């Protein structure tokens, strides 16, 4: 599936990974914390990234104004958090999240 990944101090990129829990855990480097964002979009990060001393990644501001500080890799994936089924982002979602996660 097509996802956006943002690693610390790096521009976000599009990668293709298997739609499995194991592949997503590998992408974030450990246990997953899921944040349902807007309809079809979910943010995944390392559940204990800050506690484990992973490097600061970036601040993410959500549509409701909530701001999160993310440590370690951040993966943006499509799907619905209620059923645990993840899928590719649409082209529009990819473009939106590449722009939203861009760091100068």
């Amino acid at each position: 599936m097509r996802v956006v990944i943002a690693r610390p101090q790096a521009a976000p990129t599009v990668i293709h990974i298997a739609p499995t829990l194991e592949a997503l855990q590998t992408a974030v480097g450990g246990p997953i914390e899921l944040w349902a964002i807007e309809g079809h979009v979910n943010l995944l990060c390392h559940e204990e990234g800050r506690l484990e001393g992973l490097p600061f990644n970036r601040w993410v501001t959500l549509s409701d104004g909530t701001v999160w500080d993310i440590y370690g890799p951040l993966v943006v994936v499509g799907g619905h958090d209620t059923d645990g089924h993840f899928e590719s982002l649409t082209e529009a979602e990819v473009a939106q999240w590449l722009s939203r996660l861009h760091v100068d």
Side-chain angles (χ1 to χ4, degrees):
M1 69 183 162
R2 181 182 55 239
V3 303
V4 171
I5 188 165
R7 294 181 176 94
Q9 300 178 350
T13 59
V14 177
I15 63 170
H16 294 273
I17 61 174
T20 65
L21 176 61
E22 294 79 15
L24 293 168
Q25 287 174 324
T26 297
V28 301
I32 290 175
E33 183 169 2
L34 173 124
W35 299 89
I37 304 302
E38 300 144 354
H40 181 255
V41 177
N42 301 281
L43 297 184
L44 307 174
C45 61
H46 191 295
E47 183 176 46
E48 297 181 350
R50 181 193 311 231
L51 295 174
E52 290 193 10
L54 297 181
F56 175 75
N57 188 333
R58 65 197 70 210
W59 298 98
V60 176
T61 303
L62 306 179
S63 59
D64 69 358
T66 303
V67 178
W68 295 333
D69 52 336
I70 305 295
Y71 291 80
L74 166 68
V75 175
V76 184
V77 63
H80 301 282
D81 66 313
T82 54
D83 64 8
H85 175 77
F86 298 113
E87 57 195 33
S88 288
L89 295 168
T90 66
E91 288 298 324
E93 290 164 343
V94 166
Q96 176 189 19
W97 283 95
L98 286 174
S99 175
R100 283 180 75 172
L101 295 174
H102 180 76
V103 290
D104 295 324

